[in-house]
Amino acid sequence: MAGTPQYIRNLNENLIMDALITQGTMSRADISRQTGLSKPTVSLAVEHLINRNLVREMGRADNAQGRKATLIRFNETAYYVCGIDIGATRIRIALSDLNGEIIAYRTYPMVVQEAYERAEATMLELLRSHMNELLNKNHLKWDQIQCIGFGIPGVVLPDSGRIHRIVDPLAGLEEAFSLESLSGAFPCEVILENDVNLAALGEYRSGAAAGYPLFVFFSIGTGTGAGIMVHGQLLRGLGGLTGEIAEMLVDDGRRLEEVLSADGLMQLAKEYLDQHDELLEVADSDADVKVHVIADDLHRHLTPEKLFEDARSGEVEALDILQQYCQKIASALRQISVVLAPDLIVLGGGVGENGDVLLPLLRQIISEQFPVQPQLICSKLGEQAVVTGAVQVAIQQTMLNLQQEAME
């Protein structure tokens, strides 16, 4: 087909689409100047793109003189895509147009029925139900959805789309969330990717890491992981295992995820409070009694959220616990820094997003102890980092499909 008139026409249409997506609204004459195509060629290609509903006319330009040109723009609402973040505790869904503008966003609790015979089928039905609800509320139908990008807290095997090493709360649902199962449950194309990789992509495209040539997204929450991007490309490595820092071992032989996850933080806090309780039993001053009351309160309401809340209030016990915790985070960051020497490290995840507390402590350690000192900041996208990345991969695939469709 190469060299045929149809092939050349399709190349011209794709060139025009790229120009409109990059530049925005343009006249036919603008397109001709931008692409180097002749005006008759542009006019013919634009008419065909209008028939495909991929571009649309937007009225007349505000010319100072002469005949006013008709403006053309990419039709970002010709189709839609979705990004779905399947988390350990939450399901997050974003609906987006083809420009990456998120037009609807919903969160739902993750409900895992471990002992239920149809747990896998039930989970797929739940996801489909959430999607149906979102489409109905936005007056859309399934034939308008071109692609769904899914983020999963586990290793996605590149060749098969199967899931390996999923985070513990979702253990047993690997088959339900495999690429094959998800593709069978939804009437559109499906892409499956590790959630932290997607978060890294989201931060690079429209978040805290925009424009950085080498950066690491370090996620700390129910699980622990890293997404590494070099010049806009994700590093995947053997079996897609690049960034699986959860498997790093610390000094006592434990996996890094056991130490840094939300559960690891709670274990550290419990050990600290138990130790201080023993010391306070022999103390009798008013100051010690006050500290004991605070420590007892932490015991009764021990959650990561409570710990960070108390640290923000200046409570000494909470600050001491988080100082110790930051030493453990810094140990992992140091290893990453000396191996990769990234320009930037972005902290994210349910625990890592508490930058107002963590960053000052970590930056001090970095400045005093690190031979390589990358910039350290927190996620700009927050809980939407994964769905933002999922939307981006879905758009990329959709645009590729539309280009290939024109070639057929």
Short mmCIF file of all heavy atoms in Angstrom, two decimals, residues 236-276:
data_model
loop_
_atom_site.label_atom_id
_atom_site.label_comp_id
_atom_site.label_asym_id
_atom_site.label_seq_id
_atom_site.Cartn_x
_atom_site.Cartn_y
_atom_site.Cartn_z
N ARG A 236 11.26 -0.69 32.21
CA ARG A 236 10.49 -1.88 32.59
C ARG A 236 11.39 -3.02 33.05
O ARG A 236 11.08 -3.70 34.02
CB ARG A 236 9.62 -2.32 31.42
CG ARG A 236 8.61 -1.23 31.02
CD ARG A 236 7.66 -1.72 29.97
NE ARG A 236 6.76 -0.65 29.56
CZ ARG A 236 5.67 -0.30 30.21
NH1 ARG A 236 5.34 -0.93 31.33
NH2 ARG A 236 4.90 0.67 29.78
N GLY A 237 12.46 -3.27 32.33
CA GLY A 237 13.39 -4.30 32.76
C GLY A 237 12.89 -5.71 32.56
O GLY A 237 11.83 -5.96 31.99
N LEU A 238 13.66 -6.65 33.07
CA LEU A 238 13.37 -8.07 32.93
C LEU A 238 12.04 -8.41 33.59
O LEU A 238 11.85 -8.19 34.77
CB LEU A 238 14.50 -8.89 33.57
CG LEU A 238 14.38 -10.41 33.51
CD1 LEU A 238 14.43 -10.89 32.06
CD2 LEU A 238 15.49 -11.05 34.34
N GLY A 239 11.10 -8.92 32.79
CA GLY A 239 9.81 -9.33 33.33
C GLY A 239 8.98 -8.19 33.87
O GLY A 239 8.05 -8.40 34.65
N GLY A 240 9.30 -6.94 33.48
CA GLY A 240 8.55 -5.79 33.97
C GLY A 240 8.82 -5.47 35.42
O GLY A 240 8.05 -4.75 36.06
N LEU A 241 9.95 -5.94 35.94
CA LEU A 241 10.22 -5.84 37.38
C LEU A 241 11.00 -4.59 37.80
O LEU A 241 11.28 -4.42 38.98
CB LEU A 241 10.98 -7.08 37.84
CG LEU A 241 10.16 -8.37 37.90
CD1 LEU A 241 11.07 -9.58 38.12
CD2 LEU A 241 9.12 -8.30 39.00
N THR A 242 11.35 -3.73 36.85
CA THR A 242 12.03 -2.49 37.25
C THR A 242 11.15 -1.70 38.21
O THR A 242 9.97 -1.50 37.96
CB THR A 242 12.34 -1.63 36.01
OG1 THR A 242 13.26 -2.33 35.19
CG2 THR A 242 12.95 -0.30 36.42
N GLY A 243 11.74 -1.25 39.31
CA GLY A 243 11.00 -0.45 40.27
C GLY A 243 10.34 -1.24 41.39
O GLY A 243 9.70 -0.65 42.26
N GLU A 244 10.52 -2.57 41.38
CA GLU A 244 9.91 -3.37 42.45
C GLU A 244 10.78 -3.28 43.72
O GLU A 244 11.32 -4.28 44.21
CB GLU A 244 9.75 -4.82 42.00
CG GLU A 244 8.61 -5.02 41.03
CD GLU A 244 7.27 -4.61 41.63
OE1 GLU A 244 6.90 -5.14 42.69
OE2 GLU A 244 6.60 -3.74 41.05
N ILE A 245 10.88 -2.07 44.25
CA ILE A 245 11.72 -1.85 45.42
C ILE A 245 11.14 -2.48 46.68
O ILE A 245 11.83 -2.58 47.69
CB ILE A 245 11.95 -0.35 45.66
CG1 ILE A 245 10.61 0.36 45.88
CG2 ILE A 245 12.71 0.27 44.50
CD1 ILE A 245 10.77 1.79 46.30
N ALA A 246 9.89 -2.93 46.61
CA ALA A 246 9.31 -3.64 47.75
C ALA A 246 10.15 -4.86 48.12
O ALA A 246 10.18 -5.28 49.28
CB ALA A 246 7.88 -4.09 47.43
N GLU A 247 10.88 -5.40 47.12
CA GLU A 247 11.67 -6.61 47.35
C GLU A 247 13.07 -6.32 47.87
O GLU A 247 13.83 -7.26 48.15
CB GLU A 247 11.76 -7.41 46.05
CG GLU A 247 10.42 -7.84 45.48
CD GLU A 247 9.61 -8.67 46.48
OE1 GLU A 247 10.22 -9.49 47.19
OE2 GLU A 247 8.38 -8.48 46.55
N MET A 248 13.44 -5.06 47.99
CA MET A 248 14.73 -4.74 48.60
C MET A 248 14.74 -5.20 50.05
O MET A 248 13.70 -5.16 50.73
CB MET A 248 14.99 -3.23 48.54
CG MET A 248 15.23 -2.69 47.15
SD MET A 248 15.26 -0.87 47.08
CE MET A 248 16.63 -0.51 48.20
N LEU A 249 15.90 -5.63 50.53
CA LEU A 249 16.00 -6.09 51.92
C LEU A 249 16.69 -5.03 52.77
O LEU A 249 17.66 -4.40 52.33
CB LEU A 249 16.80 -7.40 51.99
CG LEU A 249 16.19 -8.59 51.25
CD1 LEU A 249 17.08 -9.82 51.43
CD2 LEU A 249 14.78 -8.90 51.72
N VAL A 250 16.18 -4.83 53.97
CA VAL A 250 16.80 -3.90 54.90
C VAL A 250 17.74 -4.67 55.82
O VAL A 250 17.90 -5.89 55.69
CB VAL A 250 15.72 -3.14 55.71
CG1 VAL A 250 14.88 -2.28 54.77
CG2 VAL A 250 14.81 -4.11 56.45
N ASP A 251 18.36 -3.97 56.76
CA ASP A 251 19.43 -4.57 57.57
C ASP A 251 18.99 -5.81 58.33
O ASP A 251 19.78 -6.74 58.50
CB ASP A 251 19.96 -3.53 58.57
CG ASP A 251 20.73 -2.42 57.87
OD1 ASP A 251 21.13 -2.64 56.71
OD2 ASP A 251 20.92 -1.35 58.47
N ASP A 252 17.74 -5.84 58.80
CA ASP A 252 17.31 -7.01 59.58
C ASP A 252 16.74 -8.13 58.72
O ASP A 252 16.17 -9.09 59.24
CB ASP A 252 16.27 -6.59 60.64
CG ASP A 252 15.02 -5.98 60.01
OD1 ASP A 252 14.93 -5.94 58.77
OD2 ASP A 252 14.13 -5.53 60.78
N GLY A 253 16.88 -8.00 57.39
CA GLY A 253 16.45 -9.05 56.49
C GLY A 253 15.01 -8.94 56.03
O GLY A 253 14.56 -9.76 55.22
N ARG A 254 14.27 -7.97 56.53
CA ARG A 254 12.89 -7.80 56.11
C ARG A 254 12.82 -7.12 54.74
O ARG A 254 13.72 -6.40 54.35
CB ARG A 254 12.10 -6.97 57.12
CG ARG A 254 11.81 -7.70 58.42
CD ARG A 254 10.91 -6.84 59.31
NE ARG A 254 11.58 -5.61 59.74
CZ ARG A 254 10.94 -4.59 60.32
NH1 ARG A 254 9.64 -4.64 60.51
NH2 ARG A 254 11.62 -3.52 60.70
N ARG A 255 11.70 -7.40 54.02
CA ARG A 255 11.46 -6.71 52.76
C ARG A 255 11.16 -5.25 53.05
O ARG A 255 10.57 -4.90 54.07
CB ARG A 255 10.28 -7.33 52.02
CG ARG A 255 10.50 -8.76 51.58
CD ARG A 255 9.22 -9.42 51.08
NE ARG A 255 8.63 -8.72 49.94
CZ ARG A 255 7.48 -8.07 49.98
NH1 ARG A 255 6.79 -7.97 51.13
NH2 ARG A 255 6.99 -7.49 48.90
N LEU A 256 11.56 -4.38 52.13
CA LEU A 256 11.35 -2.95 52.31
C LEU A 256 9.88 -2.62 52.49
O LEU A 256 9.51 -1.74 53.28
CB LEU A 256 11.91 -2.19 51.10
CG LEU A 256 11.89 -0.67 51.22
CD1 LEU A 256 12.85 -0.20 52.31
CD2 LEU A 256 12.22 -0.02 49.88
N GLU A 257 9.00 -3.33 51.78
CA GLU A 257 7.56 -3.05 51.89
C GLU A 257 7.05 -3.31 53.30
O GLU A 257 6.16 -2.60 53.79
CB GLU A 257 6.79 -3.89 50.89
CG GLU A 257 5.30 -3.57 50.85
CD GLU A 257 4.64 -4.13 49.60
OE1 GLU A 257 4.68 -3.44 48.57
OE2 GLU A 257 4.10 -5.25 49.67
N GLU A 258 7.60 -4.31 53.98
CA GLU A 258 7.18 -4.59 55.35
C GLU A 258 7.55 -3.45 56.28
O GLU A 258 6.88 -3.21 57.28
CB GLU A 258 7.84 -5.89 55.84
CG GLU A 258 7.43 -7.14 55.09
CD GLU A 258 8.21 -8.35 55.57
OE1 GLU A 258 8.51 -8.42 56.77
OE2 GLU A 258 8.55 -9.20 54.73
N VAL A 259 8.60 -2.72 55.93
CA VAL A 259 9.09 -1.65 56.79
C VAL A 259 8.43 -0.31 56.46
O VAL A 259 8.05 0.44 57.37
CB VAL A 259 10.63 -1.52 56.63
CG1 VAL A 259 11.16 -0.34 57.43
CG2 VAL A 259 11.31 -2.82 57.06
N LEU A 260 8.25 -0.01 55.18
CA LEU A 260 7.79 1.32 54.77
C LEU A 260 6.29 1.43 54.51
O LEU A 260 5.76 2.55 54.47
CB LEU A 260 8.53 1.78 53.52
CG LEU A 260 10.02 2.05 53.65
CD1 LEU A 260 10.54 2.72 52.39
CD2 LEU A 260 10.33 2.91 54.87
N SER A 261 5.59 0.33 54.32
CA SER A 261 4.16 0.41 54.04
C SER A 261 3.43 1.01 55.23
O SER A 261 4.00 1.21 56.32
CB SER A 261 3.61 -0.99 53.75
OG SER A 261 3.69 -1.79 54.92
N ALA A 262 2.15 1.30 55.03
CA ALA A 262 1.33 1.83 56.12
C ALA A 262 1.35 0.89 57.33
O ALA A 262 1.44 1.34 58.48
CB ALA A 262 -0.10 2.05 55.64
N ASP A 263 1.30 -0.41 57.08
CA ASP A 263 1.38 -1.38 58.18
C ASP A 263 2.74 -1.32 58.86
O ASP A 263 2.84 -1.45 60.08
CB ASP A 263 1.11 -2.80 57.66
CG ASP A 263 -0.35 -3.04 57.35
OD1 ASP A 263 -1.20 -2.23 57.79
OD2 ASP A 263 -0.65 -4.03 56.65
N GLY A 264 3.80 -1.14 58.06
CA GLY A 264 5.13 -1.02 58.64
C GLY A 264 5.26 0.21 59.52
O GLY A 264 5.88 0.16 60.59
N LEU A 265 4.68 1.31 59.08
CA LEU A 265 4.68 2.53 59.90
C LEU A 265 3.94 2.30 61.20
O LEU A 265 4.40 2.74 62.27
CB LEU A 265 4.05 3.67 59.11
CG LEU A 265 3.83 4.99 59.87
CD1 LEU A 265 5.13 5.51 60.46
CD2 LEU A 265 3.18 6.02 58.96
N MET A 266 2.81 1.63 61.14
CA MET A 266 2.04 1.36 62.36
C MET A 266 2.80 0.43 63.31
O MET A 266 2.73 0.58 64.54
CB MET A 266 0.68 0.75 61.99
CG MET A 266 -0.28 1.72 61.32
SD MET A 266 -0.73 3.14 62.36
CE MET A 266 0.54 4.34 61.90
N GLN A 267 3.53 -0.53 62.76
CA GLN A 267 4.32 -1.42 63.60
C GLN A 267 5.44 -0.65 64.30
O GLN A 267 5.71 -0.85 65.49
CB GLN A 267 4.91 -2.55 62.75
CG GLN A 267 5.73 -3.57 63.51
CD GLN A 267 4.94 -4.29 64.58
OE1 GLN A 267 3.74 -4.56 64.41
NE2 GLN A 267 5.59 -4.62 65.70
N LEU A 268 6.08 0.26 63.56
CA LEU A 268 7.12 1.10 64.16
C LEU A 268 6.54 1.95 65.28
O LEU A 268 7.15 2.08 66.35
CB LEU A 268 7.73 1.99 63.07
CG LEU A 268 8.75 3.04 63.56
CD1 LEU A 268 10.00 2.36 64.11
CD2 LEU A 268 9.11 3.99 62.41
N ALA A 269 5.38 2.53 65.04
CA ALA A 269 4.74 3.37 66.06
C ALA A 269 4.39 2.56 67.30
O ALA A 269 4.59 3.01 68.43
CB ALA A 269 3.49 4.02 65.47
N LYS A 270 3.88 1.35 67.09
CA LYS A 270 3.51 0.50 68.22
C LYS A 270 4.73 0.13 69.05
O LYS A 270 4.69 0.18 70.29
CB LYS A 270 2.80 -0.76 67.72
CG LYS A 270 2.30 -1.69 68.81
CD LYS A 270 1.59 -2.89 68.22
CE LYS A 270 1.01 -3.77 69.33
NZ LYS A 270 2.05 -4.28 70.25
N GLU A 271 5.82 -0.23 68.37
CA GLU A 271 7.04 -0.58 69.09
C GLU A 271 7.58 0.61 69.88
O GLU A 271 8.02 0.47 71.03
CB GLU A 271 8.10 -1.08 68.11
CG GLU A 271 7.74 -2.42 67.47
CD GLU A 271 8.68 -2.79 66.35
OE1 GLU A 271 9.59 -1.97 66.04
OE2 GLU A 271 8.51 -3.87 65.76
N TYR A 272 7.52 1.79 69.28
CA TYR A 272 7.98 3.00 69.96
C TYR A 272 7.13 3.27 71.20
O TYR A 272 7.66 3.55 72.29
CB TYR A 272 7.89 4.18 68.99
CG TYR A 272 8.21 5.53 69.61
CD1 TYR A 272 9.49 6.06 69.57
CD2 TYR A 272 7.21 6.28 70.25
CE1 TYR A 272 9.79 7.29 70.14
CE2 TYR A 272 7.49 7.51 70.83
CZ TYR A 272 8.77 8.00 70.77
OH TYR A 272 9.05 9.22 71.34
N LEU A 273 5.82 3.19 71.06
CA LEU A 273 4.92 3.51 72.18
C LEU A 273 5.02 2.46 73.28
O LEU A 273 4.97 2.80 74.47
CB LEU A 273 3.49 3.63 71.67
CG LEU A 273 3.23 4.81 70.72
CD1 LEU A 273 1.84 4.72 70.13
CD2 LEU A 273 3.42 6.14 71.45
N ASP A 274 5.19 1.20 72.89
CA ASP A 274 5.35 0.15 73.91
C ASP A 274 6.61 0.39 74.72
O ASP A 274 6.62 0.25 75.95
CB ASP A 274 5.42 -1.23 73.24
CG ASP A 274 4.06 -1.71 72.73
OD1 ASP A 274 3.04 -1.12 73.15
OD2 ASP A 274 4.03 -2.64 71.92
N GLN A 275 7.67 0.76 74.03
CA GLN A 275 8.94 1.02 74.71
C GLN A 275 8.81 2.21 75.66
O GLN A 275 9.29 2.17 76.80
CB GLN A 275 10.03 1.28 73.69
CG GLN A 275 11.41 1.51 74.30
CD GLN A 275 12.45 1.80 73.24
OE1 GLN A 275 12.14 2.31 72.16
NE2 GLN A 275 13.69 1.46 73.53
N HIS A 276 8.13 3.26 75.23
CA HIS A 276 7.97 4.44 76.07
C HIS A 276 7.01 4.20 77.21
O HIS A 276 7.14 4.78 78.28
CB HIS A 276 7.54 5.64 75.23
CG HIS A 276 8.68 6.28 74.49
ND1 HIS A 276 9.37 5.64 73.50
CD2 HIS A 276 9.27 7.50 74.65
CE1 HIS A 276 10.32 6.44 73.05
NE2 HIS A 276 10.29 7.57 73.73
#
